[in-house]
Amino acid sequence: LTWDGTDASMAVNMCRTKKAFEDAKKIAAALRDPMLSRYNFHWSLSDWKYAGTAMMIRKGLHVSKIKHRFPGEGRGGHDPDGRICIATVEGIEIWSTYVPNSGWTTHSHSRRETWDKRVLEALKTRTATGMESISSRNSSSSSSTHPPLVWAGDLNVCREDRDASHIRFFRETIYSIQRHHQKPATYRNTGQPGVIPHEQERFREMLRVGNLLDAYRVLHPKVDRFKDFTWRGSPPAIGSLKRALYYDKGMRIDYTLVSSAMKEMILRAETCGRGKDREGFLGSDHCPIILHLKL
């Protein structure tokens, strides 16, 4: 969906509840900001107010494809939860995804494993089309090559244990505090979502199969507890004497991943959040992240 004044009005008129109507009006008003008029908006939304992804693409850039399913999953339609936006912009394939949280139950673990299998198959489909080449950005590129990939979003997993502030707390201690969560029998499925060993293993396999680099760690190989973590727990409520369970704890679970062929093109990869009080988080528990490439 390219969002302009007509589409905004249509969206407001199609709302079926008062709350949805109010939300749509706020979005429509925000997107009328003159600065945003320089962009086209592409959305993939869930059927209920929970998940969704979007892309803002600067007008004037060449966009050859927009889709909302992974490579190899057929054409048309959206992911049911709106978790996928894929665009080929100036010859670079860009994935924006919101990965399902692994949750605490066998059922939610299974749902996440199913998602991860979809991603792995999509990466295999890409590599099966031939060698990856920066030259495939050109319209005259060979059919035996495919465009480089940039994959960004909330991927809901720590690549390594060092990407969590308090790994023992997240993987062990939490069960003695939140006793309604039953500790799995196998270590590979143990821990809070984000640091479950099995999901970490699957994520690293995706990086291997997709030949992808973690852009942030390329430029920031050393751990920095002040700026690494893209998700942080809530501070205590103002005036409250009650300790906030996750205060001063965080994970790096939002990423910009790039094809290894693009390593020398990485100019900047940053997190915008700082410190336990969530400076730069803009009201969310996740902070924005930035990737700047030399094209």
Side-chain angles (χ1 to χ4, degrees), residues 37-291:
S37 66
R38 294 177 289 179
Y39 296 86
N40 287 325
F41 288 76
H42 302 274
W43 306 84
S44 185
L45 302 177
S46 175
D47 289 339
W48 60 298
K49 190 179 175 181
Y50 172 71
T53 49
M55 284 188 180
M56 296 169 54
I57 301 178
R58 185 74 175 261
K59 293 178 180 177
L61 294 176
H62 177 63
V63 181
S64 58
K65 290 182 182 178
I66 294 285
K67 54 187 178 181
H68 305 285
R69 289 193 177 275
F70 287 125
E73 291 189 337
R75 300 188 179 190
H78 287 239
D79 176 78
D81 287 341
R83 294 183 180 275
I84 305 166
C85 266
I86 295 178
T88 303
V89 183
E90 295 290 335
I92 294 177
E93 189 170 316
I94 303 172
W95 292 9
S96 172
T97 66
Y98 174 27
V99 174
N101 187 292
S102 286
W104 297 87
T105 68
T106 301
H107 174 75
S108 59
H109 284 186
S110 177
R111 182 184 69 152
R112 173 59 176 273
E113 286 187 37
T114 298
W115 167 275
D116 288 347
K117 288 177 181 177
R118 288 176 64 193
V119 175
L120 193 59
E121 286 303 311
L123 293 170
K124 289 178 179 178
T125 298
R126 274 180 45 85
T127 56
T129 60
M131 296 293 293
E132 186 170 74
S133 173
I134 298 297
S135 65
S136 64
R137 293 175 56 207
N138 301 324
S139 57
S140 59
S141 61
S142 167
S143 60
S144 64
T145 63
H146 58 269
L149 174 64
V150 174
W151 179 12
D154 175 1
L155 306 192
N156 258 322
V157 62
C158 290
R159 177 185 158 205
E160 300 172 332
D161 284 357
R162 67 179 184 146
D163 293 314
S165 63
H166 298 72
I167 188 63
R168 185 174 179 181
F169 172 88
F170 291 130
R171 195 171 283 152
E172 299 288 344
T173 308
I174 191 65
Y175 290 105
S176 63
I177 300 173
Q178 296 188 341
R179 297 181 182 274
H180 57 287
H181 294 313
Q182 185 175 359
K183 189 174 182 179
T186 59
Y187 174 77
R188 290 181 75 207
N189 291 320
T190 298
Q192 180 157 327
V195 299
I196 300 170
H198 196 196
E199 68 179 357
Q200 292 176 291
E201 292 169 13
R202 295 194 303 268
F203 182 51
R204 290 192 289 266
E205 177 66 2
M206 293 175 201
L207 299 183
R208 185 192 69 80
V209 169
N211 202 17
L212 297 171
L213 298 175
D214 178 351
Y216 181 80
R217 280 289 177 232
V218 169
L219 300 186
H220 308 280
K222 295 183 179 179
V223 172
D224 185 332
R225 289 175 57 90
F226 184 63
K227 68 177 186 178
D228 276 359
F229 308 125
T230 62
W231 168 86
R232 285 186 180 268
S234 300
I238 297 175
S240 173
L241 298 178
K242 188 176 181 180
R243 178 177 172 81
L245 179 61
Y246 289 105
Y247 183 50
D248 197 26
K249 297 178 179 67
M251 300 183 188
R252 190 172 73 93
I253 56 177
D254 302 82
Y255 294 84
T256 51
L257 307 175
V258 303
S259 295
S260 59
M262 302 177 71
K263 181 176 181 179
E264 301 306 318
M265 300 166 63
I266 304 172
L267 298 179
R268 182 185 178 201
E270 299 287 347
T271 62
C272 296
R274 298 291 183 267
K276 63 182 181 180
D277 291 313
R278 304 203 293 199
E279 176 186 348
F281 276 68
L282 307 180
S284 175
D285 57 346
H286 290 251
C287 73
I289 55 177
I290 296 172
L291 174 66

